[in-house]
Amino acid sequence: MRIPTKLFIDKTTWETAQKLRRTIRRGDRNKEPNPLTGLLYCGECGAKMYNERSDGDAYHKTPKDNYVCASYRKKTTSCTIHFIRTEIVRDLILDALRNVATYARANKEDFEQLVMQTTSDARRRSLQSGRTELDRIMRRTNELDTLLQKLYEDYALGRLPEKRHAKLSAQYEEEQAQLEQRSAELMEQMNAEQEESVNVDRFMELVDRYTDFTELTTPMLNEFIDKVIVYERRKINRYQYDQQIEIYFNFIGKVTLPEEEMESTPEAPKTFHVASNSSFAPIGDYLPAQGEEAIALPFSKVEELTGKPLCKSAYKYASYWYPAQDRPLSNTIYNAGYDVDQVDLAAGIVYLTKAA
């Protein structure tokens, strides 16, 4: 008689499998879900990030693959888009993972002390933030209860039409349901944080298991990464933006290494290079002479001022109108003190705003 063999899996593998089971991943046309889905969260409202993918269109030749705040996309809250490309997130995760693994191997004792101190501070701040949000949710829930009761009384006394009563009641009840769901998520998160213990040894076991950190694989994501918090982009200066993301590792949370320093904010160049004999020089004279904060500049006006037709790229790619190396027209616009706010290729108009 053949005796069935029992299969044993380690605790890390079991926890990873359970985490994957709880995450719903949509597949693309090839039925291949994005491995980052379920790991990215909005830094403002706390919602999971929604993966947008497409094969491109007439103006965007490369496929689209990015994440946005799910609350913003579904319009369930007043949150903003929090747009970030998948490629950028993967590069940042790989860099962080490579740096942490290298430091941990070379400085195991210092790394353990650093993790314990950092995690304790972060957990305390997170719990306080969760309690604050729960208080806000409770206050709003009580307000909605009062509003629903008043709606019913007004309807019962004939002061409110039935159709209006039904519409307002549905809106308030939907908001209540969303608040209840968010409250349950917060409670689950806070309970997990209180019970969770830092385990540097288990993290080091993972580090020792992987000898190559040159490519970010799906198994590495599942085993190393707990979550990634994405914040909204912040404008630094003309055409330059900064975006903060926080990477939390399994077993150790968020870690800031000693050698990591804040990068200095880059300054926007005062001018871009344009040849002295450029045919676009009349544009540089025309724009300041308008004396307007905002200018709608038709492509035909550019052709009129320069006395020659624009190249095909001007009508095909919006990027043509943004300053960069070897773009004399867009650089002339930039040097004249105007930034591109929007390019309408269909209408043949570029909308400019005066730089601050």
Side-chain angles (χ1 to χ4, degrees):
M1 180 177 178
R2 186 174 180 180
I3 301 176
T5 303
K6 291 185 178 180
L7 297 178
F8 294 93
I9 60 174
D10 59 85
K11 185 177 181 181
T12 300
T13 303
W14 169 258
E15 291 174 349
T16 301
Q18 298 309 304
K19 182 178 178 181
L20 291 174
R21 287 185 61 188
R22 292 192 297 268
T23 301
I24 300 175
R25 288 180 166 87
R26 297 176 301 104
D28 60 11
R29 293 178 181 177
N30 297 321
K31 306 301 181 183
E32 295 177 357
N34 192 316
L36 286 175
T37 298
L39 296 178
L40 274 59
Y41 293 82
C42 173
E44 267 64 46
C45 72
K48 287 187 177 182
M49 304 288 283
Y50 183 90
N51 186 217
E52 295 182 326
R53 281 190 283 186
S54 70
D55 296 330
D57 52 38
Y59 298 113
H60 303 88
K61 301 299 183 182
T62 57
K64 178 175 72 172
D65 188 355
N66 55 259
Y67 280 86
V68 298
C69 171
S71 293
Y72 168 84
R73 189 179 187 278
K74 298 176 182 177
K75 295 180 171 47
T76 55
T77 69
S78 59
C79 201
T80 53
I81 188 168
H82 290 72
F83 174 93
I84 192 166
R85 297 204 313 272
T86 296
E87 177 185 8
I88 298 297
V89 180
R90 290 184 64 90
D91 288 345
L92 291 172
I93 290 176
L94 182 58
D95 285 343
L97 180 54
R98 184 187 298 119
N99 292 337
V100 168
T102 300
Y103 180 86
R105 283 172 174 163
N107 310 273
K108 186 172 181 180
E109 292 184 3
D110 291 341
F111 179 69
E112 183 172 0
Q113 293 179 1
L114 175 67
V115 168
M116 296 298 293
Q117 179 180 351
T118 303
T119 305
S120 177
D121 294 341
R123 185 175 297 166
R124 184 171 60 253
R125 290 193 299 270
S126 178
L127 289 173
Q128 181 58 46
S129 175
R131 294 189 189 99
T132 301
E133 187 174 355
L134 280 174
D135 288 341
R136 180 187 63 78
I137 289 174
M138 184 174 296
R139 287 195 301 271
R140 180 55 180 167
T141 300
N142 292 334
E143 290 174 1
L144 291 171
D145 285 337
T146 302
L147 288 171
L148 284 168
Q149 178 65 29
K150 189 175 186 306
L151 276 179
Y152 178 77
E153 292 175 356
D154 289 345
Y155 169 67
L157 296 173
R159 292 196 294 257
L160 188 68
E162 181 179 356
K163 188 174 181 180
R164 182 66 173 165
H165 170 261
K167 183 178 180 180
L168 290 174
S169 295
Q171 290 178 350
Y172 291 150
E173 288 170 357
E174 181 181 359
E175 184 179 354
Q176 273 192 331
Q178 293 172 357
L179 290 173
E180 288 175 2
Q181 180 181 352
R182 179 58 182 158
S183 177
E185 291 174 353
L186 279 172
M187 291 297 297
E188 182 180 357
Q189 177 184 332
M190 292 171 65
N191 289 335
E193 288 177 349
Q194 288 177 326
E195 295 175 2
E196 184 183 58
S197 60
V198 178
N199 196 324
V200 179
D201 290 336
R202 290 181 68 182
F203 181 79
M204 291 305 300
E205 289 176 6
L206 284 178
V207 171
D208 293 337
R209 191 187 307 170
Y210 287 88
T211 58
D212 184 9
F213 290 95
T214 58
E215 180 183 357
L216 186 64
T217 64
T218 299
M220 289 169 64
L221 274 173
N222 295 334
E223 292 192 281
F224 278 103
I225 305 302
D226 176 29
K227 62 183 177 181
V228 179
I229 309 298
V230 180
Y231 293 89
E232 187 59 276
R233 292 199 310 167
R234 177 179 60 91
K235 187 172 183 178
I236 300 174
N237 47 44
R238 299 175 68 181
Y239 298 108
Q240 291 181 315
Y241 292 84
D242 179 40
Q243 186 168 23
Q244 177 188 359
I245 78 164
E246 297 176 350
I247 299 172
Y248 289 78
F249 296 95
N250 287 326
F251 311 124
I252 62 172
K254 177 187 171 186
V255 177
T256 302
L257 300 179
E259 63 267 24
E260 292 181 358
E261 299 178 357
M262 295 295 292
E263 296 181 359
S264 58
T265 301
E267 295 183 0
K270 295 180 180 179
T271 60
F272 280 92
H273 172 72
V274 178
S276 57
N277 61 346
S278 171
S279 60
F280 295 111
I283 305 299
D285 298 329
Y286 170 79
L287 293 177
Q290 304 310 299
E292 301 290 339
E293 292 293 323
I295 297 176
L297 181 65
F299 297 1
S300 58
K301 185 63 177 180
V302 175
E303 294 177 331
E304 176 189 329
L305 291 170
T306 60
K308 67 175 187 178
L310 288 165
C311 65
K312 293 181 180 179
S313 295
Y315 289 88
K316 193 174 182 180
Y317 303 107
S319 59
Y320 173 88
W321 295 91
Y322 290 84
Q325 187 177 7
D326 299 327
R327 290 183 186 167
L329 172 55
S330 53
N331 290 352
T332 298
I333 293 173
Y334 181 93
N335 293 347
Y338 284 87
D339 292 337
V340 175
D341 184 54
Q342 181 184 356
V343 179
D344 190 336
L345 295 172
I349 300 175
V350 57
Y351 295 92
L352 308 174
T353 55
K354 195 171 185 62

